[in-house]
């Protein structure tokens, strides 16, 4: 299998073969793509608590993970270094935390402070008795954690687009949070997100607020940015005159970061979708809402998120069933409307080619 599974030239390329959407071993192999940067929380989530377990990161990677605000903000393992008890179940304000199993304590830097009945233990404590630390990176108040590969930070090239928004000052509004379970493969959710091609057909209400002819897609290493233009008279961003999109009526910036993070910026604030692969045919999608200006949330592209989500889910569930068809395998891309999907499939096919190469090496295949 070569990297050219999905050709670089979108005009001749074919979409991913349907087995990518239902094969159990492919599903498991591609989970390795989730061990890079994962969105954890917004800075405003840390204001009340010193320790915050990040449930969705555990759901995605299997690693119980906490964000801890001590002398600095850190990401670390939520597993006690003694015999593996989970340390913290709920966000809390503790300054020292104690394992409920045998009483080991840790400070907010993750250092082990005390352990009963270990006076006679030799070579104790050592570094491995402190909590394991994960890489943490913050972009404009958005905290990302990496549990494996610390690749490039794809958001770093986006500042010229997003500097004008004071994302850091947004506040989490839990009334906007959602937790959806969809009977479909996670990549179908991503595919659907990465094109606005379906908007006139699937989202009549959204189509009224967007100027479909002005919808654009930009691809970059590790992500895709789609820009929705506001229909005449609808709510739009106030862009400063040094902004690359100055003079245009922008209703929404839809930013996807590989593999599973979606940041939807509207004049009212930010809606984040976190995609969690559950099984080859089941996906959870978490929504998190961060508000800048509540008054703007009732109009425009950002006002009908629940309606749009349900419309998307219905379509995706149908497509998921079709992936098992014996007669459908691959399709083609619209060169003008599906650059984002093509980019995603290219990343997946490159990743898959690497995995296949490694597997062949391990098995001694020439
Ligand atoms: S597992 Fe935590 S003190 Fe024993
Ligand atoms: Fe959609």
């Amino acid at each position: 299998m070569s990297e050219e599974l999905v050709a670089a030239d979108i005009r001749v390329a074919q979409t991913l073969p349907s087995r990518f959407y239902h094969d159990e071993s492919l599903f498991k192999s591609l989970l390795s793509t989730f061990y890079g940067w994962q969105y954890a929380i917004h800075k405003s989530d840390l204001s009340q608590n010193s320790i915050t377990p990040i449930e969705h990161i555990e759901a995605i990677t299997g690693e119980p993970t906490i964000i801890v605000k001590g002398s600095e903000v850190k990401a670390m393992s939520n597993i006690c270094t003694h015999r593996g008890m989970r340390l913290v179940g709920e966000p809390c304000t503790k300054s020292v935390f104690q394992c409920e199993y045998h009483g080991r304590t840790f400070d907010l830097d993750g250092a082990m402070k005390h352990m009963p009945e270990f006076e006679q233990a030799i070579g104790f404590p050592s570094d491995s008795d402190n909590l394991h630390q994960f890489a943490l990176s913050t972009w404009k108040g958005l905290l990302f954690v990496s549990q494996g590969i610390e690749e490039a930070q794809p958001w770093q090239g986006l500042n010229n687009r997003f500097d004008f928004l004071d994302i850091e000052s947004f506040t989490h509004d839990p009334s906007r949070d959602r937790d959806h379970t969809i009977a479909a493969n996670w990549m179908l959710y991503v595919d659907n997100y990465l094109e606005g091609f379906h908007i006139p057909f699937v989202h009549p209400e959204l189509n009224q607020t967007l100027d479909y002819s002005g919808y654009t897609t930009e691809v970059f290493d590790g992500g895709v940015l789609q820009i929705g233009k506001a229909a005449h008279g609808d709510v739009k961003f106030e862009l400063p005159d040094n902004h690359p999109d100055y003079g245009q009526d922008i209703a929404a910036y839809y930013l996807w970061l590989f593999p599973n993070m979606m940041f939807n910026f509207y004049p009212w604030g930010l809606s984040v979708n976190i995609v969690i692969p559950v099984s080859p045919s089941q996906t959870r999608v978490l929504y998190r809402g961060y508000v800048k200006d509540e008054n703007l949330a009732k109009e425009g592209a950002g006002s009908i998120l629940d309606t749009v989500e349900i419309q998307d889910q219905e379509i995706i569930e149908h497509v998921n069933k079709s992936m098992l068809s014996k007669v459908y395998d691959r399709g083609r891309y619209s060169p003008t409307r599906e650059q984002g999907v093509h980019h995603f499939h290219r990343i997946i096919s490159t990743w898959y080619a690497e995995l296949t190469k490694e597997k062949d090496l391990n098995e001694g295949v020439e």
Side-chain angles (χ1 to χ4, degrees):
M1 191 70 64
S2 80
E3 285 183 27
E4 290 305 302
L5 175 65
V6 177
D9 184 346
I10 192 171
R11 296 170 307 166
V12 299
Q14 286 188 289
T15 60
L16 284 175
S18 57
R19 69 178 188 282
F20 275 73
Y21 298 95
H22 61 76
D23 181 272
E24 181 88 38
S25 70
L26 265 167
F27 171 79
K28 285 194 180 137
S29 301
L30 291 172
L31 290 181
S32 59
T33 62
F34 286 77
Y35 287 85
W37 293 110
Q38 282 292 328
Y39 173 68
I41 46 177
H42 182 269
K43 201 178 142 195
S44 65
D45 292 309
L46 291 170
S47 57
Q48 310 283 329
N49 301 301
S50 56
I51 308 173
T52 310
I54 312 296
E55 180 270 338
H56 70 263
I57 289 196
E58 182 172 350
I60 292 167
T61 65
E63 281 296 345
T65 303
I66 44 179
I67 304 274
V68 183
K69 195 170 65 174
S71 55
E72 54 187 297
V73 178
K74 292 181 171 178
M76 52 187 93
S77 167
N78 193 14
I79 298 178
C80 177
T81 49
H82 176 222
R83 287 205 352 249
M85 175 66 177
R86 192 176 69 165
L87 286 167
V88 184
E90 298 288 330
C92 66
T93 54
K94 291 176 184 157
S95 57
V96 170
F97 46 123
Q98 182 166 45
C99 178
E100 291 173 0
Y101 203 174
H102 314 97
R104 181 170 292 197
T105 55
F106 301 88
D107 69 15
L108 295 182
D109 288 319
M112 198 218 63
K113 296 314 279 180
H114 179 70
M115 179 68 187
E117 307 293 343
F118 262 56
E119 291 77 12
Q120 294 176 30
I122 296 169
F124 179 87
S126 70
D127 273 357
S128 62
D129 298 303
N130 300 326
L131 295 179
H132 183 85
Q133 310 268 323
F134 298 120
L136 179 83
S137 183
T138 303
W139 179 60
K140 300 188 178 301
L142 305 169
L143 277 69
F144 295 83
V145 173
S146 173
Q147 309 207 325
I149 352 140
E150 281 168 59
E151 348 138 308
Q153 302 176 351
W155 51 85
Q156 295 299 3
L158 301 168
N159 290 342
N160 66 337
R161 273 289 176 18
F162 294 106
D163 275 349
F164 83 101
L165 279 176
D166 189 10
I167 301 168
E168 217 166 325
S169 71
F170 293 4
T171 50
H172 185 187
D173 172 7
S175 74
R176 293 173 178 278
D177 293 355
R178 305 282 185 274
D179 186 341
H180 295 284
T181 297
I182 309 169
N185 183 276
W186 69 274
M187 291 197 294
L188 290 178
Y189 190 90
V190 176
D191 286 355
N192 178 72
Y193 180 86
L194 289 176
E195 45 93 356
F197 194 17
H198 67 272
I199 292 174
F201 302 100
V202 179
H203 306 303
E205 299 84 356
L206 178 61
N207 199 38
Q208 302 262 310
T209 74
L210 289 180
D211 167 15
Y212 177 71
S213 62
Y215 196 94
T216 59
T217 302
E218 296 177 14
V219 305
F220 56 91
D221 277 353
V224 172
L225 178 65
Q226 297 171 87
I227 304 177
K229 308 278 165 58
H232 186 68
D234 228 318
V235 62
K236 59 184 183 190
F237 286 106
E238 295 296 331
L239 300 173
D241 55 11
N242 62 350
H243 192 278
D245 304 321
Y246 180 71
Q248 301 182 50
D249 295 343
I250 310 286
Y253 287 102
Y254 302 107
L255 170 66
W256 167 77
L257 298 180
F258 179 78
N260 66 326
M261 294 160 275
M262 295 144 184
F263 301 86
N264 310 291
F265 295 95
Y266 305 103
W268 63 259
L270 164 65
S271 171
V272 179
N273 311 3
I274 303 161
V275 180
I276 305 177
V278 178
S279 75
S281 58
Q282 200 173 64
T283 301
R284 252 177 92 198
V285 182
L286 303 185
Y287 270 43
R288 295 285 177 266
Y290 304 98
V291 175
K292 175 193 189 181
D293 185 343
E294 189 68 51
N295 293 327
L296 294 175
K298 295 176 189 72
E299 303 162 50
S303 66
I304 44 175
L305 298 188
D306 287 325
T307 309
V308 171
E309 179 67 23
I310 299 304
Q311 291 163 338
D312 280 327
Q313 288 182 12
E314 268 187 29
I315 296 281
I316 295 163
E317 291 185 347
H318 282 301
V319 176
N320 194 67
K321 288 185 192 141
S322 308
M323 292 299 115
L324 291 167
S325 161
K326 290 188 177 57
V327 297
Y328 177 86
D329 187 27
R330 311 178 72 172
R332 298 283 303 277
Y333 302 97
S334 158
T336 49
R337 292 283 179 182
E338 292 179 299
Q339 304 96 324
V341 188
H342 175 247
H343 187 57
F344 172 47
H345 289 185
R346 289 273 298 162
I347 303 176
I348 288 290
S349 68
T350 305
W351 198 282
Y352 178 68
E354 285 300 314
L355 288 171
T356 313
K357 214 185 328 170
E358 266 172 41
K359 190 165 163 265
D360 287 350
L361 283 175
N362 291 341
E363 288 171 2
V365 176
E366 289 295 304

